[in-house]
Amino acid sequence: MTVWSTIASPLGDLLLVGEKETDDGVTLTSLSMPGRRNPPAVRADWVHDPEPFADVVGQLAAYFAGELTRFHIRFTPAGTDFQRRVWRALEEIPFGTSTTYGALAEQLGVPRHGVQALGAAIGANPLLLVRPCHRVIGADGTMRGYAAGVERKVRLLTHEGVLQPTLM
């Protein structure tokens, strides 16, 4: 059964979608935020039920409070073999660090002409924030995009200490 809930966060309301497990837990299928390209739309056959997301919500709260640097959340398997390989690599990028598209491609053995496919796989990540695609930046240090907008990517990288806060 597909369940969903929303929670408030410093980035705006987050939409959580998952598959309910028999142990009252959930495997997370999607985590999206305002500004996301092609966000999932809540469907009529989905059930609004915040309870199975209690652990996910607690981990997100700890992350935003600066108390958690790695998520321990069960994900619903999705994507192509290539996407899953890229997404596993994203999960290994440590909190407080970043990598480049080129470095990630090299790590995965993706040839130079395949970097665009790598970028597309990163952009197709349905689990924003908890599968840290925001930690991938351009070789020149620029923010090359983020499914929920570059502004949110900058805010996440600043929160994690990768970027220094700007004074206004």
Side-chain angles (χ1 to χ4, degrees), residues 73-112:
I73 296 172
R74 293 179 298 168
F75 303 141
T76 307
T80 66
D81 289 342
F82 180 72
Q83 287 172 328
R84 286 192 304 270
R85 209 174 85 183
V86 171
W87 297 341
R88 279 191 301 272
L90 294 176
E91 293 167 11
E92 298 306 316
I93 304 169
F95 180 94
T97 68
S98 64
T99 191
T100 65
Y101 292 92
L104 194 59
E106 185 177 324
Q107 173 190 335
L108 292 170
V110 174
R112 188 171 193 82

Side-chain angles (χ1 to χ4, degrees), residues 4-85:
W4 68 276
S5 186
T6 58
I7 63 163
S9 83
L11 301 172
D13 287 346
L14 304 180
L15 172 62
L16 307 174
V17 179
E19 294 300 319
K20 190 168 181 178
E21 301 288 308
T22 56
D23 64 357
D24 292 328
V26 69
T27 58
L28 196 62
T29 303
S30 173
L31 187 157
S32 61
M33 57 186 77
R36 180 182 182 139
R37 292 184 308 252
N38 305 312
V42 174
R43 295 179 12 191
D45 60 333
W46 293 358
V47 176
H48 180 254
D49 187 358
E51 193 171 317
F53 294 103
D55 181 59
V56 174
V57 170
Q59 289 187 52
L60 289 166
Y63 169 83
F64 286 118
E67 300 164 355
L68 184 75
T69 60
R70 186 170 181 94
F71 293 99
H72 302 281
I73 296 172
R74 293 179 298 168
F75 303 141
T76 307
T80 66
D81 289 342
F82 180 72
Q83 287 172 328
R84 286 192 304 270
R85 209 174 85 183

